[in-house]
């Protein structure tokens, strides 16, 4: 029985296909590009990107405080705690139903307090003031986007307005900075856009500007010219803040913790507090929940892959909308562990599974779409030699989550096979990791931020406070996606083969002739590869033989050969620089050519070495160009014995 012909994956283009391609290029791509460059989203994305090193620095200091000094009640897993335990200076006590804890005293306690103070202070004023940093950085970037004069002034002014609305009206100093961390971050973002827009309207109205006499210095005049817009904006912001305070005061709205305890009573907060009470806290609590948080994370990961498929940086496109919430969930984890220790915070359900560090640790290892797993699959099962060559080049960058060589080299972008596989790879691993960390609960949740460029598993290990199971989970996710990519690679082999056949058939070849030519191309490629390998081996052997012969020579000859090689390199470098030398003004410069041991010359201008030459001919050429550039007609030649001669240049 005759086997039916397998249909080709890449059919001949039709008019409908041409129309679809035109719609894609003319309609879809411009619309997606416009969305990716939306002003507010790009400002948010850039602000968070600029401030990320501060977050990582604060997280790493927090980690060091835990590991070395047992900060945050983590003596059991710290170096200081283990040393104190070995010295018999630890007292094990009950911990209010949460197991046992360690207590130390004397010098051990002093060391613990000093170390915790060092690293906790860094944490408090990096992570703990993030809303203030966002107010400044986002204000600066948005002011630049809106073409406002003195964007730095606008940024500082925006910070002042945020301090007004974030103020709490309570005597205790501990509540003074309640909204300076991630709790006030979303309000800071919204308020920044509204305040700067209102200020821009006033600042661009010439009737609102105070004109100063011309005799007044420009800096003073500029400051006074903006006095009315600044004053009116401050009055408006303070009025809105007072209205928010009145709503809380007379509406009996208390801000409570997750346990129900009153944190800020009615009348003790303003606009940011009301925003946090009515919008920010409920929404964050909603997406921090296991099921909703999972959906939030899945949509984030899918959209990243979706935009990358079309050649747009998916993270850059969607981070403006998602990153603030994912970062806030991470910061809440870090703050809870800092205050109560991991065991207590986890037992009281204060930690969320989904956050930005969780995603980077398990769902974006080796870059978007887990392209490192794709490279391994192509290396083992791929037949397209171009893709295998790209896989070799892109393997090392992929270990550090740099995958542009894969995205545009394989390519994954707009690839009907690999693109679809990559689009769903991240949601798959996010679900697996969520299942293990959340419902099953055998791996710690992420509460320490680390650089996203760490190799697979390392980021997960560090972000969970050295939970080795997190590293295994990260590797397991990568292994699952490797298996996921295998059928896509096999399909892509067929797809690429059809493309190659079609490319030859488009030149007038029959299908059989095209297949024969492809087979011959593969034979030629393998032959070229074999010859290149043999040439490389022969070159290595020749170099080794040359080295062995060199080592047999007397030491004086070895030194002469090494000297000549060094001088030839310096000579070539000098000639390369002189090719673009410019003529300078005529000055009384001293040009000295000094003969050196083993042969060759050092050329100096006013005592400074500027060039070297090995042969007499090259020396004269180099010196001639230097003299011409410096408008000199002679130079001094100094021989090995120290005797000098004035050499006049030929006119």
């Amino acid at each position: 029985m005759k086997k039916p012909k397998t249909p080709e994956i890449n059919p001949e283009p039709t008019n409908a296909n041409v129309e679809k391609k035109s719609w894609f290029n003319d309609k879809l791509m411009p619309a997606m590009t416009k969305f990716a460059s939306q002003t507010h989203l790009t400002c948010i994305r850039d602000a968070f990107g600029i401030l990320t090193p501060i977050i990582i620095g604060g997280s790493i200091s927090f980690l060091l405080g835990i590991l070395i000094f047992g900060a945050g009640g983590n003596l059991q897993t710290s170096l200081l705690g283990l040393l104190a335990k070995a010295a018999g200076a630890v007292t094990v006590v009950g911990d209010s139903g949460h197991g046992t804890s360690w207590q130390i005293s004397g010098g051990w306690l002093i060391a613990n307090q000093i170390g915790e103070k060092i690293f906790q202070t860094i944490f408090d004023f990096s992570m703990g003031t993030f809303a203030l940093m966002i107010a400044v950085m986002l204000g600066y970037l948005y002011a630049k986007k809106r073409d406002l004069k003195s964007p730095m002034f606008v940024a500082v002014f925006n910070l002042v307005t945020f301090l007004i609305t974030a103020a709490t009206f309570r005597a205790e100093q501990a509540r003074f900075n309640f909204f300076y961390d991630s709790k006030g971050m979303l309000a800071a973002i919204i308020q920044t856009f509204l305040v700067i827009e209102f200020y821009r309207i006033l600042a661009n109205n010439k009737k609102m500007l105070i004109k100063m006499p011309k005799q007044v210095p420009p800096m003073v005049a500029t400051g006074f010219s903006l006095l009315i817009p600044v004053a009116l904006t401050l009055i408006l912001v303070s009025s809105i803040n007072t209205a928010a305070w009145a709503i809380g005061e007379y509406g009996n709205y208390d801000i409570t913790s997750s346990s129900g305890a009153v944190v800020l009573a009615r009348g003790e907060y303003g606009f940011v507090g009301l925003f946090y009470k009515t919008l920010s806290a409920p929404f964050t609590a909603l997406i921090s929940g296991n099921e909703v948080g999972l959906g939030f994370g899945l949509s984030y990961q899918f959209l990243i892959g979706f935009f990358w498929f079309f050649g747009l940086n998916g993270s850059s496109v969607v981070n403006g909308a998602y990153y603030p919430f994912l970062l806030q969930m991470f910061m809440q984890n870090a703050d809870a562990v800092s205050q109560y220790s991991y065991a207590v915070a986890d037992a009281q359900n204060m930690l969320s599974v989904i956050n930005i560090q969780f995603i980077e640790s398990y769902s974006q290892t080796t870059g978007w779409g887990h392209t490192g797993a794709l490279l391994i699959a192509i290396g083992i099962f791929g037949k397209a030699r171009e893709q295998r060559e790209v896989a070799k080049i892109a393997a090392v960058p992929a270990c550090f989550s740099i995958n542009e060589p894969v995205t545009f080299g394989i390519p994954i972008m707009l690839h009907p096979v690999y693109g679809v596989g990559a689009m769903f790879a991240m949601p798959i691993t996010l679900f697996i990791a969520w299942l293990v960390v959340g419902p099953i609960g055998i791996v710690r949740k992420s509460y320490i931020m680390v650089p996203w460029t760490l190799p697979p598993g390392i980021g997960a290990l560090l972000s969970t406070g050295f939970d080795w199971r997190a590293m295994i989970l990260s590797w397991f996710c990568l292994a699952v996606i490797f298996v996921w990519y295998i059928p896509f690679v096999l399909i892509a082999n067929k797809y690429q083969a059809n493309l190659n056949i079609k490319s030859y058939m488009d030149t007038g070849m029959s299908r059989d002739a095209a297949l024969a030519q492809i087979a011959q191309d593969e034979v030629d490629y393998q032959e070229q590869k074999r010859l290149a390998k043999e040439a490389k081996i022969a070159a290595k052997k020749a170099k080794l033989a040359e080295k062995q012969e060199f080592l047999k020579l007397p030491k004086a000859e070895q030194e002469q050969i090494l000297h000549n090689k060094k001088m030839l390199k310096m000579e070539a470098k000098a000639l390369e620089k002189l090719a673009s030398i410019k003529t300078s003004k005529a000055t009384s410069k001293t040009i000295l050519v000094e003969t050196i041991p083993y042969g060759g010359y050092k050329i100096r201008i006013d005592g400074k070495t500027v060039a070297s030459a090995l042969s007499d001919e090259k020396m004269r050429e180099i010196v001639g160009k230097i003299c011409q550039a410096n408008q000199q007609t002679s130079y001094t030649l100094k021989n090995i014995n120290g005797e000098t001669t004035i050499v006049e240049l030929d006119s």
Side-chain angles (χ1 to χ4, degrees):
M1 182 176 178
K2 187 176 180 181
K3 187 177 179 180
K5 184 178 179 182
T6 303
E8 291 190 4
I9 298 176
N10 186 53
E12 291 292 331
T14 62
N15 290 335
N17 289 337
V18 173
E19 290 177 2
K20 287 180 180 178
K21 187 174 181 180
S22 176
W23 173 83
F24 174 83
N25 291 329
D26 298 338
K27 301 291 184 181
L28 181 60
M29 284 303 295
M32 294 178 71
T33 303
K34 184 177 181 180
F35 174 76
S37 58
Q38 203 277 333
T39 300
H40 299 84
L41 294 180
T42 54
C43 286
I44 295 173
R45 177 201 68 198
D46 293 344
F48 278 95
I50 293 170
L51 295 174
T52 294
I54 299 178
I55 305 173
I56 295 175
S59 291
I60 292 176
S61 69
F62 178 43
L63 176 62
L64 292 175
I66 291 174
L67 295 178
I68 300 174
F69 296 101
N74 291 281
L75 278 172
Q76 296 94 321
T77 57
S78 69
L79 176 62
L80 180 69
L82 295 175
L83 291 174
K85 179 73 172 177
V90 170
T91 303
V92 181
V93 297
D95 192 18
S96 305
H98 298 297
T100 59
S101 64
W102 290 4
Q103 287 185 354
I104 53 179
S105 59
W108 297 102
L109 178 60
I110 293 173
N112 169 258
Q113 291 173 340
I114 292 174
E116 186 167 359
K117 188 69 174 177
I118 292 172
F119 292 105
Q120 189 67 36
T121 301
I122 297 173
F123 178 84
D124 289 342
F125 288 94
S126 55
M127 309 275 279
T129 58
F130 195 73
L132 303 182
M133 291 187 276
I134 279 293
V136 174
M137 187 56 64
L138 185 60
Y140 174 78
L141 294 173
Y142 191 62
K144 286 187 69 175
K145 284 281 187 181
R146 302 301 281 169
D147 295 325
L148 288 170
K149 295 180 180 179
S150 303
M152 183 54 69
F153 163 77
V154 178
V156 175
F157 175 61
N158 185 60
L159 173 63
V160 172
T161 64
F162 179 73
L163 290 172
I164 292 173
T165 58
T168 53
F169 313 105
R170 191 171 182 176
E172 288 88 340
Q173 184 69 18
R175 298 301 171 195
F176 178 74
N177 58 356
F178 186 73
F179 294 113
Y180 289 0
D181 59 8
S182 63
K183 293 186 288 294
M185 181 177 62
L186 297 180
I189 293 172
I190 300 299
Q191 180 178 316
T192 292
F193 294 135
L194 295 176
V195 166
I196 292 181
E197 278 301 318
F198 180 76
Y199 169 80
R200 184 183 68 86
I201 293 172
L202 298 180
N204 288 340
N205 188 341
K206 294 182 179 180
K207 295 180 180 179
M208 292 287 180
L209 304 180
I210 299 175
K211 294 182 180 180
M212 301 294 291
K214 294 182 179 180
Q215 295 81 0
V216 177
M219 292 299 295
V220 177
T222 302
F224 272 95
S225 68
L226 297 173
L227 186 59
I228 294 177
V230 167
L232 291 178
T233 304
L234 289 173
I235 292 171
L236 176 66
V237 168
S238 186
S239 299
I240 294 174
N241 188 63
T242 304
W245 166 83
I247 293 173
E249 170 72 21
Y250 303 113
N252 294 324
Y253 291 136
D254 294 334
I255 295 179
T256 58
S257 65
S258 57
S259 62
V262 176
V263 178
L264 287 173
R266 59 188 183 89
E268 294 181 346
Y269 57 84
F271 171 76
V272 175
L274 185 64
F275 184 91
Y276 175 78
K277 168 71 177 177
T278 57
L279 295 175
S280 179
F283 184 73
T284 304
L286 178 66
I287 62 176
S288 296
N290 271 341
E291 290 75 16
V292 179
L294 173 63
F296 191 75
L298 289 174
S299 65
Y300 174 68
Q301 292 297 76
F302 175 78
L303 287 174
I304 287 177
F306 175 78
F307 283 106
W308 266 117
F309 175 77
F310 291 102
L312 300 172
N313 189 313
S315 297
S316 296
V317 175
V318 302
N319 270 357
Y322 280 83
Y323 197 90
F325 301 104
L326 293 169
L327 182 63
Q328 184 173 14
M329 289 187 281
F330 162 78
M331 286 185 163
Q332 288 177 349
N333 282 11
D335 187 58
V337 175
S338 172
Q339 291 187 42
Y340 305 105
S341 83
Y342 182 88
V344 174
D346 190 41
Q348 294 184 3
N349 295 320
M350 300 172 69
L351 306 179
S352 60
V353 177
I354 303 293
N355 58 59
I356 189 62
Q357 185 57 55
F358 171 89
I359 289 172
E360 291 178 354
S361 296
Y362 304 110
S363 191
Q364 289 183 359
T365 49
T366 70
W368 82 275
H370 297 287
T371 49
L374 174 60
L375 294 177
I376 298 172
I378 290 174
I380 298 174
F381 300 100
K383 293 183 178 180
R385 64 171 180 265
E386 297 88 352
Q387 293 178 4
R388 291 173 64 89
E389 292 300 322
V390 171
K392 292 178 184 177
I393 298 171
V396 174
C399 291
F400 302 95
S401 298
I402 299 170
N403 60 353
E404 279 77 6
V406 189
T407 303
F408 303 107
I410 293 294
I412 301 176
M413 181 188 71
L414 297 179
H415 197 289
V417 181
Y418 291 142
V420 173
M423 203 182 302
F424 290 96
M426 293 187 296
I428 290 172
T429 53
L430 186 134
F431 176 77
I432 293 172
W434 169 84
L435 192 65
V436 174
V437 176
I440 298 176
I442 60 174
V443 175
R444 277 186 162 200
K445 299 175 178 67
S446 301
Y447 62 94
I448 296 168
M449 182 167 283
V450 295
W452 57 269
T453 51
L454 291 175
I458 305 300
L461 177 70
L462 296 177
S463 68
T464 54
F466 283 87
D467 185 351
W468 62 269
R469 295 164 298 186
M471 182 166 59
I472 300 299
L473 175 59
S474 179
W475 291 343
F476 175 74
C477 289
L478 206 58
V480 168
I481 296 305
F482 163 72
V483 176
W484 162 262
Y485 273 128
I486 291 175
F488 289 95
V489 173
L490 298 177
I491 295 171
N493 289 339
K494 179 68 175 175
Y495 173 77
Q496 190 63 39
N498 285 335
L499 287 179
N500 293 339
I501 293 170
K502 183 180 178 300
S503 65
Y504 280 114
M505 291 178 67
D506 287 344
T507 64
M509 284 187 180
S510 64
R511 182 178 178 82
D512 291 340
L515 289 170
Q517 184 60 51
I518 291 172
Q520 184 60 45
D521 288 346
E522 184 62 25
V523 171
D524 294 342
Y525 170 73
Q526 294 299 334
E527 179 65 16
Q528 290 175 3
K529 192 175 179 181
R530 183 186 65 81
L531 292 174
K533 186 176 181 180
E534 290 178 355
K536 189 175 182 180
I537 293 173
K540 283 185 177 180
K541 288 181 178 179
K543 189 174 182 180
L544 181 61
E546 182 183 354
K547 185 177 181 180
Q548 290 173 344
E549 290 296 323
F550 173 79
L551 294 174
K552 293 178 183 179
L553 296 173
K555 186 176 180 180
E557 291 187 33
Q558 291 181 12
E559 291 177 352
Q560 183 66 56
I561 291 171
L562 292 174
H563 171 79
N564 290 348
K565 286 183 177 180
K566 181 180 178 182
M567 291 298 295
L568 284 171
K569 287 183 180 179
M570 296 174 71
E571 183 181 86
K573 189 176 180 181
L575 289 169
E576 183 181 351
K577 284 186 176 180
L578 289 170
S580 57
I581 193 171
K582 296 180 179 179
T583 302
S584 62
K585 294 181 180 180
T587 56
S588 56
K589 291 183 178 179
T590 301
I591 299 176
L592 174 67
V593 179
E594 184 178 355
T595 307
I596 59 176
Y598 294 108
Y601 304 92
K602 289 286 185 182
I603 303 161
R604 310 179 196 275
I605 298 179
D606 293 337
K608 182 180 179 181
T609 303
V610 294
S612 301
L614 180 62
S615 66
D616 294 347
E617 180 185 355
K618 293 297 182 182
M619 180 274 286
R620 286 191 289 269
E621 180 183 351
I622 293 172
V623 173
K625 290 183 177 180
I626 291 175
C627 288
Q628 183 180 2
N630 290 278
Q631 300 188 36
Q632 302 294 314
T633 58
S634 64
Y635 63 91
T636 302
L637 178 63
K638 183 179 181 182
N639 63 23
I640 199 72
N641 297 320
E643 299 170 348
T644 58
T645 306
I646 303 299
V647 180
E648 297 290 338
L649 294 176
D650 297 333
S651 57

